[in-house]
Amino acid sequence: MVKTALVTGATAGFGASIARSLVAKGYQVVGTGRRLERLNALKKELGDAFVPLQMDLQSKENISEALEELSEAFQRIDVLVNNAGLALGLEKANEVNFDDWETMIMTNVMGLTYLTRQILPGMVERQSGYVINIGSIAGNYPYPGGNVYGATKAFVKQFSLNLRADLAGTHVRVTNLEPGLAGGTEFSKVRFKGDDDKARKIYEKANSLQPEDIARTVVWLLEQPEHMNVNRIEIMPTSQSFGALPVYKED
Ligand code: NDP
Ligand code: 8X3
């Protein structure tokens, strides 16, 4: 039986690459995002195995309505890849625009949890399924300006682990996939509100991860035997490592 994966954020970056890789592996893929024209372009490229589903993760009503639109053949979701998300700004906590915090929490936390809550009962009923959450190293290590973005990803990590606890005995697997610096996506363009130059500089000479690296990891996870659950997988480009913890000294 053909398996169905729902991949959020399929209009760009990791999500588009994950959708391509899963279709290549024989999955039916429901790809979501707000930009319908991007989803339609992917449909043109991938054919009948790809179903575009416009969905704004900031709205519970919109998520529910979108899921109801799915045809019978695509309603049984075997794999949920909670990939969509964003960072906005790198300002200090005392200087940020609060709306940016709200948008990140609504998308990365509220949207992800609501969609998961909608999909999980079917998986539990069928005693089979896989939820792959795209977290971030930002949920593991603090950095200046990471404030709420990192906190949303820490939430995603702990949510993933707590899902494992609730799903014990159901055969439903959960992984939190935690990438580090990754280029080839719109992540920094979004973070810097369309400032392409600023975004480009982040990746210059960095030999960063690419969307295909993340897609390959998703495929690898899905290829592991059902008795094995990868709880968390943290991946960095080889060029990225750890900084010292700074100590500010005052006279
Ligand atoms: P992109 O900006 O390229 O893609 C983000 C995707 O999220 C888009 O498809 C976008 O679709 C979707 N999205 C954003 N807001 C919403 C919303 N309100 N409703 C529905 N979809 C939404 O970024 P990446 O591919 O890099 O990021 C994917 C995930 O990986 C994110 O969760 C990010 O935090 C995480 N990540 C990224 C890293 C990186 O360095 N690139 C590293 C670690 C983690 P649309 O705008 O069409 O709605
Ligand atoms: C994206 C990685 O380090 O820019 O989640 O926050 S980082």
Side-chain angles (χ1 to χ4, degrees):
M1 189 177 175
V2 179
K3 290 200 167 180
T4 302
L6 190 152
V7 180
T8 66
T11 58
F14 296 169
S17 189
I18 293 166
R20 287 190 179 99
S21 296
L22 292 184
V23 167
K25 285 285 170 187
Y27 284 81
Q28 301 190 130
V29 173
V30 178
T32 79
R34 290 164 299 179
R35 289 169 290 179
L36 188 59
E37 70 288 355
R38 294 271 188 107
L39 296 174
N40 286 337
L42 210 49
K43 164 102 189 151
K44 222 170 180 181
E45 176 190 328
L46 298 175
D48 287 345
F50 182 82
V51 170
L53 191 66
Q54 192 174 30
M55 183 187 281
D56 184 349
L57 282 173
Q58 293 183 79
S59 158
K60 284 194 291 187
E61 292 71 27
N62 193 273
I63 296 171
S64 295
E65 283 163 16
L67 289 175
E68 276 167 26
E69 271 174 35
L70 274 179
S71 71
E72 182 93 20
F74 285 86
Q75 277 194 353
R76 177 199 151 121
I77 307 295
D78 300 292
V79 177
L80 170 62
V81 184
N82 279 316
N83 160 75
L86 77 170
L88 290 171
L90 261 182
E91 292 84 13
K92 290 186 174 170
N94 53 310
E95 292 165 356
V96 296
N97 173 351
F98 188 77
D99 289 349
D100 287 348
W101 279 5
E102 200 171 355
T103 303
M104 288 188 277
I105 293 168
M106 287 306 290
T107 313
N108 303 0
V109 175
M110 294 303 290
L112 181 146
T113 50
Y114 187 70
L115 180 63
T116 305
R117 177 65 183 84
Q118 300 304 106
I119 304 290
L120 265 186
M123 289 184 173
V124 171
E125 200 182 306
R126 294 188 296 274
Q127 293 281 293
S128 162
Y130 203 148
V131 179
I132 299 177
N133 291 328
I134 306 296
S136 168
I137 58 163
N140 302 337
Y141 312 104
Y143 62 83
N147 42 67
V148 161
Y149 175 66
T152 65
K153 293 302 186 177
F155 175 96
V156 172
K157 173 173 65 178
Q158 199 61 20
F159 181 57
S160 304
L161 297 175
N162 279 337
L163 282 179
R164 288 273 297 119
D166 285 353
L167 293 167
T170 67
H171 304 281
V172 178
R173 291 183 283 171
V174 185
T175 296
N176 197 49
L177 199 172
E178 303 157 5
L181 186 77
T185 85
E186 297 177 348
F187 180 81
S188 290
K189 187 178 172 174
V190 171
R191 172 168 247 173
F192 299 127
K193 321 256 170 87
D195 186 335
D196 278 321
D197 278 351
K198 214 167 165 184
R200 201 173 327 108
K201 285 204 176 79
I202 300 278
Y203 307 103
E204 234 167 47
K205 300 182 183 172
N207 205 4
S208 51
L209 295 172
Q210 294 298 311
E212 294 72 25
D213 297 320
I214 304 308
R216 199 170 58 250
T217 306
V218 167
V219 167
W220 177 80
L221 288 168
L222 292 170
E223 284 172 350
Q224 299 316 300
E226 216 183 271
H227 70 270
M228 169 174 150
N229 193 99
V230 177
N231 297 334
R232 296 176 46 211
I233 181 163
E234 183 185 277
I235 304 170
M236 285 181 184
T238 310
S239 60
Q240 188 171 37
S241 63
F242 310 97
L245 296 176
V247 175
Y248 286 96
K249 302 200 175 183
E250 290 180 271
D251 289 327

